[in-house]
Amino acid sequence: MNISCTINSRTLQLDVAENATLLEMLRNQLGLTGVKRGCESGECGACTVIVDGRAVLSCMIPAPEVDGKSIVTIEGLSQNDELDPIQQAFIAKGAVQCGFCTPGMILSAKALLDVSPHPERSQIQQAIAGNICRCTGYEQIIAAIIYAAELRENNAKQPTNL
Amino acid sequence: MYAQYHYACPRSLSAALRLLTSDPLATPYCGGTDVLVKLRSGRIKASMLVDMKGLVELGGITESADTLSIGATCSFSQISRSPLIRRWAGSLADAADAVGSVQIRNQASLAGNICTASPAGDGLTAAWGLSADLLLRGPYGERLLPLSDFISGPGRTALLPGEIISRILIAKQQWDAQFFFKNGRRKALAISVVNGVVALAFDGRGRVERCRVAIGSCGPTPLRISRAEAALTGRQINENLADEVAHIVAAEVRPISDLRAGADYRAYLAGQQVKRHLLRCKKESCQ
């Protein structure tokens, strides 16, 4: 089935299998292996991507469904070889251990910060409740997202140097 | 890829119904959060997934003079954000917030939750507590069915071949307070051990005029606890009445023991949750 979609700001024409999931399309067809294959039953959040501004589980979306949609994966976050402030914050706060949950965790954080630039701690907890991390105990991740909100605000204040 | 199936995204409801009628293994879906999991585990077979999300007749949340109408494709996120739902069906909005996770809520629909007919479904219990009706569309036309007649047991619904839920209807009733509660093994991504709805309307003198008490995950379908509602009606809420109602609820529910909780615990918890919310209502002087 032929579809057209925007992935990490690039518009692509793709021929996808009708029974492929978005997860399979991103990983197997496009090599975007930052999208992690975890439980494939909607319980772990490792495959989280952003579709049209919302965090969703790519393992539960038939690939043909994203025709005409805009998708952001972890590979699309860094700009001009510079990490996204959320990625920087995760490094700065030690929010990455084994790293398997990290792409999904960061995309859940991005979907939150894009609509709520200054979230309460409880909003952060809720936003990442669907992303299971078995290493960190979540505290460093919450600290990273709070810090990311600060970094994003500081970046917004600075004049952009194009 | 776990199964071979085709994908269809029909442009009109009539085209969708034709697809669903022509092939008994054509499966309608919306968020896919139940259907894809069941397809993978082999619990259902499908020759074709029919994506219902683009159908305008099945979308949107609207109101008439006396009824809220929720489109079958509305996601839990849409339901949670809807001022109309917050105004008239706050317990359903709270249930929408309790389902799965942000990602699941962005995808999954209330109609799908109802069709899955899990006794533990949070959206299902909330809609049950508010006595929702379902508008069904099928090859033979349209029919209206109370939700309580739609679900006959775990995973069993009154859907005929080729039939779908088109809209979920909830009467606009004035409640002074309505609560949804849920207990799971953890706060997110947890199947409810017990969930439920308490809704109360008071007369001018602090007595319960109308009420709803519904409990999920404690029987083959959610249960309205009529005896608890009768005990509350016409009386003022106090500690004694709340205790009495808690005992009634615990006696009336029909839970099973499973890997998530024992039957005794579920019955006790259901009663205590109802008691807690009755007293919360008194404390917050909803009356």
Side-chain angles (χ1 to χ4, degrees):
Chain A
M1 183 173 253
N2 290 309
I3 65 167
S4 165
C5 58
T6 302
I7 297 176
N8 299 332
S9 306
R10 283 178 55 206
T11 302
L12 301 174
Q13 317 291 327
L14 295 164
D15 184 12
V16 298
E18 286 185 54
N19 64 339
T21 60
L22 176 59
L23 170 73
E24 289 164 333
M25 179 188 108
L26 294 170
R27 283 183 63 87
N28 306 344
Q29 210 166 341
L30 299 171
L32 296 171
T33 52
V35 188
K36 296 302 174 202
R37 180 181 163 194
C39 68
E40 287 199 288
S41 52
E43 307 214 7
C44 77
C47 70
T48 300
V49 297
I50 297 176
V51 175
D52 287 352
R54 293 185 186 283
V56 291
L57 300 169
S58 61
C59 76
M60 312 262 258
I61 297 177
E65 217 184 83
V66 298
D67 188 27
K69 303 223 163 113
S70 176
I71 300 147
V72 178
T73 72
I74 193 71
E75 288 87 349
L77 255 60
S78 61
Q79 303 284 331
N80 305 323
D81 284 339
E82 192 172 330
L83 291 177
D84 184 273
I86 307 174
Q87 293 172 306
Q88 293 174 20
F90 268 61
I91 295 168
K93 296 295 176 185
V96 181
Q97 284 189 33
C98 89
F100 195 78
C101 74
T102 310
M105 201 65 92
I106 287 175
L107 290 165
S108 284
K110 178 174 165 55
L112 169 70
L113 294 175
D114 284 351
V115 285
S116 308
H118 305 288
E120 302 282 328
R121 184 185 164 90
S122 62
Q123 285 177 282
I124 295 173
Q125 287 174 318
Q126 203 183 51
I128 62 169
N131 295 81
I132 289 180
C133 172
R134 297 287 84 149
C135 305
T136 63
Y138 301 97
E139 275 305 316
Q140 297 91 324
I141 293 172
I142 293 166
I145 297 171
I146 293 168
Y147 184 47
E150 289 170 28
L151 290 180
R152 281 161 63 108
E153 191 181 359
N154 292 343
N155 288 2
K157 278 181 195 156
Q158 282 167 10
T160 48
N161 40 350
L162 291 171
Chain B
M1 292 170 213
Y2 292 79
Q4 286 294 329
Y5 52 82
H6 293 286
Y7 168 87
C9 184
R11 299 283 166 89
S12 71
L13 183 54
S14 53
L17 292 172
R18 270 198 305 280
L19 281 173
L20 295 171
T21 311
S22 62
D23 181 350
L25 285 178
T27 303
Y29 86 98
C30 193
T33 54
D34 280 330
V35 168
L36 263 72
V37 172
K38 286 188 211 158
L39 260 181
R40 276 180 199 147
S41 65
R43 272 178 287 165
I44 59 168
K45 295 212 182 312
S47 58
M48 178 185 285
L49 288 187
V50 183
D51 187 349
M52 310 300 279
K53 282 189 290 298
L55 303 174
V56 283
E57 297 96 323
L58 308 188
I61 298 167
T62 59
E63 63 175 333
S64 65
D66 54 8
T67 309
L68 281 183
S69 169
I70 304 167
T73 61
C74 288
S75 67
F76 284 113
S77 295
Q78 270 174 284
I79 287 169
S80 162
R81 281 196 309 270
S82 160
L84 271 180
I85 304 274
R86 291 269 165 210
R87 164 70 181 83
W88 293 104
S91 53
L92 177 61
D94 290 342
D97 283 337
V99 172
S101 61
V102 170
Q103 296 96 313
I104 299 275
R105 296 194 284 273
N106 283 340
Q107 291 170 245
S109 66
L110 174 59
N113 195 232
I114 289 173
C115 285
T116 292
S118 158
D122 294 325
L124 172 59
T125 296
W128 195 283
L130 294 170
S131 305
D133 292 311
L134 302 179
L135 204 53
L136 308 177
R137 282 292 292 269
Y140 310 110
E142 194 170 70
R143 62 179 177 136
L144 186 70
L145 205 63
L147 175 58
S148 51
D149 291 345
F150 179 78
I151 304 219
S152 49
R156 289 202 305 275
T157 72
L159 276 180
L160 297 170
E163 199 174 41
I164 56 154
I165 296 177
S166 65
R167 306 199 71 85
I168 298 144
L169 308 177
I170 293 172
K172 279 158 66 174
Q173 280 199 22
Q174 199 65 50
W175 299 104
D176 291 301
Q178 47 175 304
F179 304 101
F180 173 83
F181 52 81
K182 164 175 182 168
N183 289 87
R185 296 294 295 269
R186 59 191 285 263
K187 281 185 186 161
L189 286 170
I191 294 175
S192 288
V193 163
V194 166
N195 58 20
V197 170
V198 173
L200 298 157
F202 296 96
D203 65 13
R205 285 170 291 183
R207 292 181 306 210
V208 175
E209 191 174 76
R210 289 176 289 116
C211 65
R212 298 276 170 79
V213 178
I215 301 290
S217 215
C218 280
T221 69
L223 304 166
R224 277 276 296 275
I225 313 294
S226 318
R227 273 190 58 214
E229 294 175 3
L232 282 162
T233 305
R235 291 168 73 184
Q236 280 193 339
I237 294 174
N238 57 34
E239 187 87 27
N240 286 341
L241 178 59
D243 261 332
E244 183 188 326
V245 171
H247 281 111
I248 293 172
V249 170
E252 290 283 302
V253 293
R254 292 284 171 269
I256 56 166
S257 295
D258 65 11
L259 73 170
R260 281 180 284 279
D264 290 354
Y265 175 70
R266 281 193 157 103
Y268 177 75
L269 184 59
Q272 292 305 305
Q273 277 284 33
V274 171
K275 175 183 170 183
R276 180 181 300 173
H277 287 88
L278 292 174
L279 293 177
R280 182 172 151 195
C281 189
K282 180 179 164 57
K283 195 169 154 208
E284 292 169 9
S285 11
C286 300
Q287 63 255 54

